Amino acid sequence: MRPFAYERTNDLVQAAHAGFQTGAGQTDADTQFLAGGTTLIDLMKLDVLTPRRVVDLNPLTAQHSAIEVTASGLRLGAMARMSAVADTPDVARDYPVIAQSLDLAASAQIRNMASLGGNVLQRTRCPYYRDPSWTACNKRHPGSGCSALEGVNVNHAVLGTDKSCISQYPGDFAVALVALGAQVELLGPDGPRVIAFDTLHRGPEGKPHIETTLKPGELITAFQVPAGAWTRRSLYLKIRNRQSYEFAISSAAVALDLDGGVVRAARIGLGGMAYRPWRSKEAEAVLTGKPLTEANAEAAARAALAGAVTHGGNAYKPELARRTLVRALLQTAAMEA
Amino acid sequence: MGNYQPMTDQLALPGFSRRSVLGVSAGVAALPSWGGAQTRTPTPQPPPGHIEVVLTVNGQDNRLSLDPRTTLLDALREHLQLTGSKKGCDQGQCGACTVHVDGKRVASCLTLALAVDGRQVTTIEGLSRPGDPLHPMQQAFIDHDGFQCGYCTPGQIMSAVACVHEGHAKTDDEIREYMSGNLCRCGAYPHIVEAVRDAKAKMENG
């Protein structure tokens, strides 16, 4: 790990100002913020991130960890730990897809450490990104190329990529958030703002080293998940290469509002499949107004994967994603909600 | 680390200085206020770039002067000679380094020592006092032969104690799921599950 200056604050405004030197949305900024540390310290040990200053936000934990379930929706403080949210009975009852996405991620130790804000900003697990001995990685070194295009790309994205980067967004919670149309509360040097969660993460757009739309110094302070008739009938289905403590090779976040067997509204997210947290409005549109039959679920899944682009090792993924989504839709429809 | 140079001066911002960084001391967790030159020089002066911290481990306060890069695991093993917590992968993937911070199990290899200033750390050495009976989880690992080489065992036991306290040890399947952050290369998993099941009953009745 490279030397860095360590600072600590219990003042959110000061923290935002401390980060004003960070590039907009840039992943390897000179100033990095520390919450759980499960991404940051890991990548600093690997020499992937080499900040000169680390600002520890942990004194802000008590102020920004509230978990509130109200009539208008769910509000989660950005410093809440994954395990605290997953173990909250109101969340598990009213937003099972949120609780499950957190509970099925990482290990118990990591879930006790990782904050929600840090969780959604976790970095890709692409082996070429995580190992600086590979010179070509546009995410680490803009313009250097992408080693994964012709390399080992068995768990790389098939949706939302371009030739500059085919890395996969590895998280689960963000897939549930994007499906449910969540919003993100931010605080930056210019003050607070609220943005749609699906605008937080950028596509590669030829500049994969810029991952988010956060402005310099902007910090996530909370997440808002709007209430909806579909949130109780929801689930997160995660397919992995081992049964536990593993990233998804395919996952689906599904929420349904049913009238009898007919879909009034559907919310669908895909994980383990895309460059960024992925919502499929195409699949939602196919299902809306139709009975939730296996045939209609398959039509929706085909629509969700219509734009998939594979690169050899990940050629299995579109079919796996289709099967994952069909199973998730049928399981969600069968829930007692 | 001998040629360590603090970097803050090159990144100086209004209100930030190297001295203000060094001013972070035990129990004081604040950046200087903006526009105000609020600096303190701790005595004695720690080595350049080091920061003083009080680590509360197994109920005992330890004042240390640490390079900011020091993980909690390295502070325990190299500075406090508490070598029960083990370094396996050093990447948060194996669980051998598991300790409790404020009663929650965490990976000490991914935790900066400075970030647990003022919090309660419990290690395997703190589960039972020398001369006292073993913690029921320690005894259960012996009774059920829950290890072979023993390297992962301190982490397994710390994780298992927390697993029971969390209420995540109700069934064998649940034990397997919520102990998945602790790997055992010897493959003692079936005996570990038996040990956790047995210790849970004793912890709840004792």
Side-chain angles (χ1 to χ4, degrees), chain B residues 86-123:
Chain B
K86 296 293 186 275
K87 184 176 284 192
C89 67
D90 211 20
Q91 285 190 304
Q93 295 175 5
C94 77
C97 69
T98 302
V99 301
H100 298 177
V101 174
D102 291 342
K104 306 271 190 192
R105 50 178 158 165
V106 302
S108 62
C109 74
L110 288 185
T111 302
L112 289 185
L114 295 177
V116 298
D117 191 351
R119 303 174 70 187
Q120 299 286 333
V121 179
T122 307
T123 69

Side-chain angles (χ1 to χ4, degrees), chain A residues 49-93:
Chain A
L49 294 180
T50 54
R52 295 160 72 187
R53 168 198 280 163
V54 171
V55 178
D56 183 354
L57 304 177
N58 280 296
L60 290 158
T61 298
Q63 291 165 260
H64 296 280
S65 293
I67 300 166
E68 300 161 86
V69 182
T70 66
S72 61
L74 173 65
R75 186 174 179 279
L76 301 169
M79 292 296 278
R81 265 46 187 182
M82 294 169 72
S83 56
V85 180
D87 287 341
T88 299
D90 287 357
V91 178
R93 186 193 64 229

Side-chain angles (χ1 to χ4, degrees), chain B residues 96-180:
Chain B
C97 69
T98 302
V99 301
H100 298 177
V101 174
D102 291 342
K104 306 271 190 192
R105 50 178 158 165
V106 302
S108 62
C109 74
L110 288 185
T111 302
L112 289 185
L114 295 177
V116 298
D117 191 351
R119 303 174 70 187
Q120 299 286 333
V121 179
T122 307
T123 69
I124 187 75
E125 290 90 346
L127 268 194
S128 63
R129 299 277 161 201
D132 286 354
L134 292 175
H135 186 282
M137 193 63 74
Q138 292 173 304
Q139 189 60 50
F141 269 67
I142 295 170
D143 294 345
H144 292 272
D145 210 10
F147 53 88
Q148 287 184 40
C149 82
Y151 194 80
C152 72
T153 310
Q156 297 278 2
I157 289 176
M158 295 308 288
S159 196
V161 169
C163 186
V164 171
H165 285 154
E166 289 162 10
H168 287 146
K170 292 191 287 292
T171 64
D172 286 1
D173 277 349
E174 200 179 37
I175 292 168
R176 278 188 280 270
E177 170 63 30
Y178 285 91
M179 288 293 290
S180 69

Side-chain angles (χ1 to χ4, degrees), chain A:
Chain A
M1 203 187 303
R2 306 297 171 94
F4 59 88
Y6 172 88
E7 290 156 22
R8 195 186 307 173
T9 185
N10 58 9
D11 182 318
L12 196 59
V13 175
Q14 279 185 359
H17 280 280
F20 86 90
Q21 286 177 320
T22 60
Q26 256 172 295
T27 59
D28 192 9
D30 266 351
T31 295
Q32 294 281 338
F33 294 104
L34 175 70
T38 55
T39 290
L40 180 63
I41 304 300
D42 182 32
L43 291 179
M44 285 170 67
K45 285 184 175 188
L46 295 171
D47 258 359
V48 174
L49 294 180
T50 54
R52 295 160 72 187
R53 168 198 280 163
V54 171
V55 178
D56 183 354
L57 304 177
N58 280 296
L60 290 158
T61 298
Q63 291 165 260
H64 296 280
S65 293
I67 300 166
E68 300 161 86
V69 182
T70 66
S72 61
L74 173 65
R75 186 174 179 279
L76 301 169
M79 292 296 278
R81 265 46 187 182
M82 294 169 72
S83 56
V85 180
D87 287 341
T88 299
D90 287 357
V91 178
R93 186 193 64 229
D94 292 348
Y95 300 85
V97 65
I98 297 277
Q100 290 165 17
S101 72
L102 291 164
D103 209 32
L104 293 171
S107 68
Q109 289 93 324
I110 303 285
R111 292 192 295 269
N112 279 340
M113 301 167 72
S115 70
L116 298 186
N119 176 280
V120 302
L121 298 177
Q122 69 184 291
R123 306 291 153 72
T124 182
R125 308 299 293 190
C126 172
Y128 302 103
Y129 172 72
R130 288 173 57 81
D131 183 351
S133 64
W134 294 92
T135 49
C137 173
N138 287 323
K139 230 182 229 314
R140 271 189 289 108
H141 295 298
S144 63
C146 173
S147 299
L149 282 173
E150 305 289 328
V152 176
N153 49 34
V154 69
N155 202 15
H156 283 68
V158 301
L159 293 169
T161 62
D162 66 21
K163 284 184 177 170
S164 68
C165 186
I166 60 169
S167 73
Q168 175 178 295
Y169 177 80
D172 299 299
F173 175 52
V175 178
L177 288 178
V178 79
L180 295 182
Q183 295 193 300
V184 194
E185 298 177 23
L186 306 172
L187 183 77
D190 301 330
R193 65 180 177 127
V194 178
I195 64 169
F197 185 78
D198 70 1
T199 64
L200 176 65
H201 294 84
R202 287 165 36 102
E205 299 168 38
K207 295 178 182 170
H209 64 292
I210 301 175
E211 293 195 332
T212 72
T213 57
L214 293 175
K215 297 175 186 171
E218 246 176 0
L219 291 160
I220 297 174
T221 54
F223 300 93
Q224 301 169 5
V225 182
W230 46 83
T231 68
R232 274 202 177 196
R233 186 187 291 278
S234 69
L235 62 75
Y236 191 75
L237 176 63
K238 184 171 178 180
I239 308 299
R240 294 172 275 190
N241 279 332
R242 63 179 180 189
Q243 194 172 342
S244 182
Y245 194 14
E246 185 56 282
F247 291 95
I249 53 171
S250 173
S251 73
V254 169
L256 292 174
D257 177 21
L258 296 180
D259 180 9
V262 176
V263 177
R264 265 195 295 247
R267 297 288 182 271
I268 294 170
L270 296 179
M273 205 55 58
Y275 180 83
R276 59 193 185 92
W278 195 262
R279 178 173 175 181
S280 180
K281 292 195 176 178
E282 300 82 0
E284 294 172 10
V286 167
L287 287 171
T288 305
K290 297 208 185 78
L292 197 107
T293 60
E294 186 163 349
N296 285 335
E298 282 175 2
R302 278 195 301 276
L305 275 298
V309 177
T310 62
H311 290 87
N314 60 7
Y316 70 96
K317 274 192 175 264
E319 178 60 22
L320 182 61
R322 282 190 284 271
R323 295 183 190 193
T324 306
L325 181 53
V326 169
R327 190 171 129 195
L329 285 165
L330 295 175
Q331 281 184 8
T332 310
M335 286 174 67
E336 290 180 22

